[in-house]
Amino acid sequence: MINAAKLLLNSELTTALAQLYCGEKHIYNYTFEPITKKQIDQLISLNLIDDHLKITNYKVDYAAFEHYRQILHPGTLDHMLLQEIEENKVILDLCSGPGATVRALLGNQPKYIYAFDHDQFSVELVNQLAALMGVNNVHAKIADAYSLPVEDQSVDAVVNRVSLQYLDVNKTLDEVNRVLRNKGCAIFVVHGSGYVIYSALKRDLRTAIIILIRGLLFNITKSQAHPKEIYLTPKTLIYLLKKRGFSDFSILHTEKTLNYGPFPLYFALICYKNKKE
Ligand SMILES: C[S@@+](CC[C@H](N)C(=O)[O-])C[C@H]1O[C@@H](n2cnc3c(N)ncnc32)[C@H](O)[C@@H]1O
């Protein structure tokens, strides 16, 4: 089996795979050098692409994309989020995926990082990455976002990147509130309303309409029967967090290239728990 962690620490192959991922997913906001014959041969020999350069292992390829965009090509949003987290803190990366955020957070000299995700491949990958990088303050574990294996008020910062829009938002925010200590920081990166436009242009119209309807319903009623892909507005997220005692909100938008006019593809929200008490 391919050692995905080792591959992700190879910036050349990670970039080549991310480029192929962007091609298949119609993501055009990165500029890449042409992939070399040697890189193609290596990716074919690792069974990551076929002879027609079609991706054959989507989990590894998605991992390469996240590591490319967060580690090798971080945007302004990525830089700003890292600035929020001070050194020597206990950080929880909620829905940590393939570990790109964990890798970025290691630059902040954390005391400890919990990386929780319900996907086994992702969790194993994060533990393998930590081992290869020689760090012993990362603890990745399979866990459900609504029931995290940590004590109440035991973490200094929660990071939840591009996952909240797939989850039960209220249940997730309750859990973030439970595990975060008073004055702790919560950082969310979510799909904004521009995601509907992105879906119409790059996915298909039916999906875009479904996300639009579900998103509208959620942003109006603030409740959902079942967690399914939606978009969120800053106003809704701030309302739901205020209800739980969060304050000091800052909204950050991504690079202009990722917005559709006034409709952001992503936005980040930074806030603090019970800061005023
Ligand atoms: C789009 S990925 C984002 C990964 C990572 N945060 C990043 O930015 O690189 C969403 C992640 O949420 C995880 N996830 C979705 N529902 C979850 C749940 N109920 N509990 C834990 N993890 C969940 C998925 O397995 C996936 O890894």
Side-chain angles (χ1 to χ4, degrees), residues 42-70:
Q42 278 177 293
L43 294 175
I44 292 175
S45 71
L46 291 168
N47 286 327
L48 292 172
I49 58 172
D50 67 17
D51 294 341
H52 305 285
L53 309 193
K54 186 146 178 25
I55 294 159
T56 51
N57 187 327
Y58 276 92
K59 286 209 167 187
V60 176
D61 201 40
Y62 168 66
F65 172 65
E66 286 296 352
H67 282 255
Y68 173 77
R69 75 167 169 178
Q70 293 184 54

Side-chain angles (χ1 to χ4, degrees), residues 151-166:
E151 299 286 314
D152 294 3
Q153 305 211 18
S154 58
V155 305
D156 299 308
V158 174
V159 179
N160 178 238
R161 206 179 163 284
V162 285
S163 336
L164 193 60
Q165 65 277 343
Y166 303 116

Side-chain angles (χ1 to χ4, degrees), residues 62 66 70 95-97 101 117-119 143-145 161-163 167:
Y62 168 66
E66 286 296 352
Q70 293 184 54
C95 301
S96 45
T101 313
D117 199 288
H118 68 177
D119 177 55
D144 187 77
R161 206 179 163 284
V162 285
S163 336
L167 299 169

Side-chain angles (χ1 to χ4, degrees), residues 222-241:
K222 318 282 191 280
S223 72
Q224 55 199 146
H226 302 288
K228 291 203 177 120
E229 192 176 17
I230 57 170
Y231 73 89
L232 284 153
T233 66
K235 204 172 149 201
T236 299
L237 202 46
I238 289 176
Y239 170 85
L240 294 173
L241 285 158

Side-chain angles (χ1 to χ4, degrees), residues 112-277:
Y112 205 74
I113 303 181
Y114 293 108
F116 295 142
D117 199 288
H118 68 177
D119 177 55
Q120 184 175 357
F121 169 83
S122 299
V123 169
E124 283 173 6
L125 183 56
V126 175
N127 279 326
Q128 284 164 9
L129 268 169
L132 277 177
M133 292 170 77
V135 293
N136 56 12
N137 58 345
V138 172
H139 173 76
K141 197 168 176 190
I142 296 176
D144 187 77
Y146 316 127
S147 165
L148 301 170
V150 286
E151 299 286 314
D152 294 3
Q153 305 211 18
S154 58
V155 305
D156 299 308
V158 174
V159 179
N160 178 238
R161 206 179 163 284
V162 285
S163 336
L164 193 60
Q165 65 277 343
Y166 303 116
L167 299 169
D168 182 316
V169 178
N170 281 295
K171 273 165 84 178
T172 308
L173 297 185
D174 283 343
E175 194 59 356
V176 170
N177 194 17
R178 181 186 72 77
V179 301
L180 199 58
R181 68 161 172 79
N182 280 340
K183 302 189 174 44
C185 166
I187 298 178
F188 302 91
V189 179
V190 296
H191 284 161
S193 49
Y195 197 68
V196 175
I197 303 172
Y198 167 85
S199 300
L201 297 174
K202 309 283 169 70
R203 296 166 85 189
D204 60 87
L205 198 56
R206 188 172 173 274
T207 307
I209 292 170
I210 292 173
I211 296 173
L212 175 66
I213 294 171
R214 277 196 214 126
L216 277 173
L217 279 176
F218 181 76
N219 286 291
I220 293 167
T221 64
K222 318 282 191 280
S223 72
Q224 55 199 146
H226 302 288
K228 291 203 177 120
E229 192 176 17
I230 57 170
Y231 73 89
L232 284 153
T233 66
K235 204 172 149 201
T236 299
L237 202 46
I238 289 176
Y239 170 85
L240 294 173
L241 285 158
K242 263 190 185 164
K243 257 181 49 175
R244 291 165 171 85
F246 285 81
S247 65
D248 295 63
F249 299 98
S250 347
I251 296 284
L252 310 174
H253 288 288
T254 47
E255 290 82 355
K256 285 209 165 53
T257 48
L258 291 176
N259 291 343
Y260 294 96
F263 306 107
L265 184 54
Y266 300 102
F267 66 88
L269 187 148
I270 301 170
C271 56
Y272 292 84
K273 176 177 165 182
N274 297 335
K275 201 171 184 179
K276 299 209 161 74
E277 277 180 7

